[in-house]
Short mmCIF file of all heavy atoms in Angstrom, two decimals:
data_model
loop_
_atom_site.label_atom_id
_atom_site.label_comp_id
_atom_site.label_asym_id
_atom_site.label_seq_id
_atom_site.Cartn_x
_atom_site.Cartn_y
_atom_site.Cartn_z
N LEU A 1 16.18 19.60 -6.49
CA LEU A 1 15.39 18.92 -5.46
C LEU A 1 13.94 18.96 -5.69
O LEU A 1 13.20 17.92 -5.58
CB LEU A 1 15.67 19.54 -4.07
CG LEU A 1 17.13 19.46 -3.56
CD1 LEU A 1 17.27 20.16 -2.18
CD2 LEU A 1 17.49 17.97 -3.43
N ALA A 2 13.43 20.11 -6.16
CA ALA A 2 12.02 20.23 -6.48
C ALA A 2 11.64 19.42 -7.69
O ALA A 2 10.63 18.73 -7.75
CB ALA A 2 11.63 21.72 -6.64
N ASN A 3 12.47 19.41 -8.73
CA ASN A 3 12.24 18.64 -10.00
C ASN A 3 12.37 17.21 -9.66
O ASN A 3 11.60 16.43 -10.28
CB ASN A 3 13.25 19.06 -11.06
CG ASN A 3 13.01 20.45 -11.61
OD1 ASN A 3 11.81 20.94 -11.57
ND2 ASN A 3 14.00 21.07 -12.06
N GLU A 4 13.24 16.78 -8.87
CA GLU A 4 13.34 15.34 -8.58
C GLU A 4 12.10 14.90 -7.75
O GLU A 4 11.75 13.68 -7.90
CB GLU A 4 14.67 15.07 -7.71
CG GLU A 4 15.85 15.17 -8.58
CD GLU A 4 17.14 15.30 -7.82
OE1 GLU A 4 17.12 15.14 -6.56
OE2 GLU A 4 18.22 15.54 -8.36
N LEU A 5 11.54 15.74 -6.93
CA LEU A 5 10.30 15.30 -6.27
C LEU A 5 9.23 15.13 -7.32
O LEU A 5 8.49 14.16 -7.30
CB LEU A 5 9.88 16.34 -5.26
CG LEU A 5 8.44 16.27 -4.70
CD1 LEU A 5 8.27 14.93 -3.97
CD2 LEU A 5 8.13 17.39 -3.66
N ASN A 6 9.15 16.03 -8.24
CA ASN A 6 8.05 15.91 -9.26
C ASN A 6 8.40 14.61 -10.15
O ASN A 6 7.47 13.95 -10.42
CB ASN A 6 8.18 17.22 -10.23
CG ASN A 6 7.11 17.10 -11.26
OD1 ASN A 6 5.86 17.13 -10.91
ND2 ASN A 6 7.39 17.14 -12.52
N ASP A 7 9.64 14.37 -10.48
CA ASP A 7 9.96 13.17 -11.25
C ASP A 7 9.61 11.93 -10.38
O ASP A 7 9.06 10.90 -11.01
CB ASP A 7 11.46 13.06 -11.50
CG ASP A 7 11.92 14.16 -12.48
OD1 ASP A 7 11.03 14.70 -13.13
OD2 ASP A 7 13.10 14.37 -12.57
N PHE A 8 9.88 11.94 -9.12
CA PHE A 8 9.48 10.80 -8.28
C PHE A 8 7.92 10.49 -8.30
O PHE A 8 7.59 9.41 -8.47
CB PHE A 8 9.95 11.00 -6.86
CG PHE A 8 9.28 10.20 -5.88
CD1 PHE A 8 9.87 8.82 -5.60
CD2 PHE A 8 8.28 10.51 -5.05
CE1 PHE A 8 9.33 7.92 -4.70
CE2 PHE A 8 7.74 9.62 -4.02
CZ PHE A 8 8.27 8.34 -3.93
N LEU A 9 7.16 11.53 -8.18
CA LEU A 9 5.73 11.44 -8.20
C LEU A 9 5.22 10.97 -9.57
O LEU A 9 4.41 10.13 -9.69
CB LEU A 9 5.10 12.79 -7.80
CG LEU A 9 5.33 13.27 -6.39
CD1 LEU A 9 4.85 14.65 -6.19
CD2 LEU A 9 4.63 12.33 -5.35
N GLU A 10 5.77 11.51 -10.60
CA GLU A 10 5.30 11.11 -11.91
C GLU A 10 5.76 9.73 -12.32
O GLU A 10 4.99 8.91 -12.91
CB GLU A 10 5.97 12.14 -13.00
CG GLU A 10 5.25 13.50 -12.91
CD GLU A 10 5.59 14.36 -14.15
OE1 GLU A 10 6.54 14.06 -14.83
OE2 GLU A 10 4.85 15.36 -14.34
N ASP A 11 7.03 9.37 -12.00
CA ASP A 11 7.55 7.99 -12.28
C ASP A 11 6.78 6.97 -11.57
O ASP A 11 6.60 5.79 -12.07
CB ASP A 11 9.01 7.91 -11.87
CG ASP A 11 9.92 8.81 -12.80
OD1 ASP A 11 9.41 9.21 -13.80
OD2 ASP A 11 11.13 8.85 -12.38
N ASN A 12 6.29 7.21 -10.35
CA ASN A 12 5.55 6.30 -9.60
C ASN A 12 3.99 6.43 -9.80
O ASN A 12 3.28 5.86 -9.11
CB ASN A 12 5.87 6.47 -8.08
CG ASN A 12 7.26 5.85 -7.84
OD1 ASN A 12 7.46 4.68 -7.65
ND2 ASN A 12 8.26 6.75 -7.69
N LYS A 13 3.59 7.28 -10.78
CA LYS A 13 2.24 7.43 -11.10
C LYS A 13 1.40 7.90 -9.98
O LYS A 13 0.24 7.34 -9.72
CB LYS A 13 1.69 6.20 -11.87
CG LYS A 13 2.35 5.93 -13.20
CD LYS A 13 1.88 4.73 -13.74
CE LYS A 13 2.32 4.52 -15.24
NZ LYS A 13 3.75 4.72 -15.43
N ILE A 14 1.90 8.83 -9.15
CA ILE A 14 1.21 9.28 -7.94
C ILE A 14 0.57 10.68 -8.41
O ILE A 14 1.30 11.69 -8.36
CB ILE A 14 2.16 9.47 -6.79
CG1 ILE A 14 2.84 8.07 -6.43
CG2 ILE A 14 1.37 9.96 -5.53
CD1 ILE A 14 3.99 8.23 -5.50
N ASP A 15 -0.59 10.53 -8.84
CA ASP A 15 -1.29 11.78 -9.36
C ASP A 15 -1.76 12.68 -8.20
O ASP A 15 -2.25 12.23 -7.20
CB ASP A 15 -2.48 11.43 -10.30
CG ASP A 15 -1.96 10.59 -11.54
OD1 ASP A 15 -0.93 10.86 -11.95
OD2 ASP A 15 -2.75 9.76 -11.93
N GLY A 16 -1.75 13.95 -8.47
CA GLY A 16 -2.25 14.96 -7.49
C GLY A 16 -3.74 15.12 -7.63
O GLY A 16 -4.38 14.27 -8.17
N PRO A 17 -4.20 16.17 -6.96
CA PRO A 17 -3.49 17.23 -6.40
C PRO A 17 -2.91 16.92 -5.07
O PRO A 17 -3.27 15.89 -4.47
CB PRO A 17 -4.55 18.30 -6.31
CG PRO A 17 -5.85 17.62 -6.18
CD PRO A 17 -5.65 16.39 -7.02
N TYR A 18 -1.94 17.77 -4.65
CA TYR A 18 -1.09 17.35 -3.51
C TYR A 18 -1.31 18.45 -2.39
O TYR A 18 -1.46 19.67 -2.71
CB TYR A 18 0.35 17.31 -3.77
CG TYR A 18 0.72 16.44 -4.92
CD1 TYR A 18 1.26 17.05 -6.10
CD2 TYR A 18 0.55 15.07 -4.92
CE1 TYR A 18 1.62 16.26 -7.18
CE2 TYR A 18 0.85 14.32 -6.06
CZ TYR A 18 1.45 14.91 -7.18
OH TYR A 18 1.80 14.16 -8.28
N ILE A 19 -1.24 17.97 -1.15
CA ILE A 19 -0.89 18.85 0.01
C ILE A 19 0.48 18.49 0.40
O ILE A 19 0.84 17.33 0.55
CB ILE A 19 -1.83 18.58 1.20
CG1 ILE A 19 -3.19 19.04 0.95
CG2 ILE A 19 -1.27 19.23 2.48
CD1 ILE A 19 -4.22 18.65 2.01
N LEU A 20 1.42 19.48 0.37
CA LEU A 20 2.77 19.23 0.70
C LEU A 20 3.08 19.66 2.14
O LEU A 20 2.73 20.72 2.55
CB LEU A 20 3.69 20.05 -0.25
CG LEU A 20 3.45 19.79 -1.79
CD1 LEU A 20 4.40 20.67 -2.63
CD2 LEU A 20 3.66 18.33 -2.06
N VAL A 21 3.77 18.77 2.87
CA VAL A 21 4.22 19.02 4.12
C VAL A 21 5.76 19.07 4.23
O VAL A 21 6.35 18.02 3.91
CB VAL A 21 3.60 18.01 5.17
CG1 VAL A 21 4.08 18.29 6.60
CG2 VAL A 21 2.11 17.84 4.95
N GLY A 22 6.35 20.16 4.64
CA GLY A 22 7.79 20.24 4.63
C GLY A 22 8.36 20.75 5.91
O GLY A 22 7.90 21.73 6.46
N HIS A 23 9.34 20.02 6.39
CA HIS A 23 10.07 20.37 7.61
C HIS A 23 11.45 21.02 7.26
O HIS A 23 12.19 20.48 6.43
CB HIS A 23 10.35 19.21 8.53
CG HIS A 23 11.28 19.51 9.66
ND1 HIS A 23 12.51 18.90 9.80
CD2 HIS A 23 11.21 20.26 10.74
CE1 HIS A 23 13.08 19.22 10.92
NE2 HIS A 23 12.29 20.14 11.50
N SER A 24 11.76 22.15 7.92
CA SER A 24 13.13 22.75 7.80
C SER A 24 13.46 22.98 6.32
O SER A 24 12.73 23.71 5.56
CB SER A 24 14.20 21.92 8.45
OG SER A 24 15.39 22.58 8.65
N LEU A 25 14.54 22.41 5.86
CA LEU A 25 14.91 22.56 4.39
C LEU A 25 13.71 22.04 3.47
O LEU A 25 13.57 22.59 2.35
CB LEU A 25 16.11 21.74 4.09
CG LEU A 25 16.62 21.59 2.65
CD1 LEU A 25 16.94 22.93 2.07
CD2 LEU A 25 17.71 20.57 2.46
N GLY A 26 12.93 21.07 3.91
CA GLY A 26 11.82 20.70 3.20
C GLY A 26 10.91 21.90 2.91
O GLY A 26 10.14 21.83 1.95
N GLY A 27 10.85 22.86 3.75
CA GLY A 27 10.05 24.06 3.45
C GLY A 27 10.49 24.77 2.17
O GLY A 27 9.57 25.28 1.37
#
């Protein structure tokens, strides 16, 4: 799940840095 988030951001060329907001399992 964490690697797929990284892949999603990289594949869509969404460069950081990031603030991450996570609910429940997202935490």
Side-chain angles (χ1 to χ4, degrees):
L1 295 178
N3 289 333
E4 287 165 10
L5 170 56
N6 187 60
D7 292 344
F8 167 78
L9 295 169
E10 289 191 345
D11 291 347
N12 288 280
K13 296 179 170 48
I14 304 167
D15 297 327
Y18 311 114
I19 291 173
L20 302 180
V21 183
H23 169 246
S24 194
L25 172 64

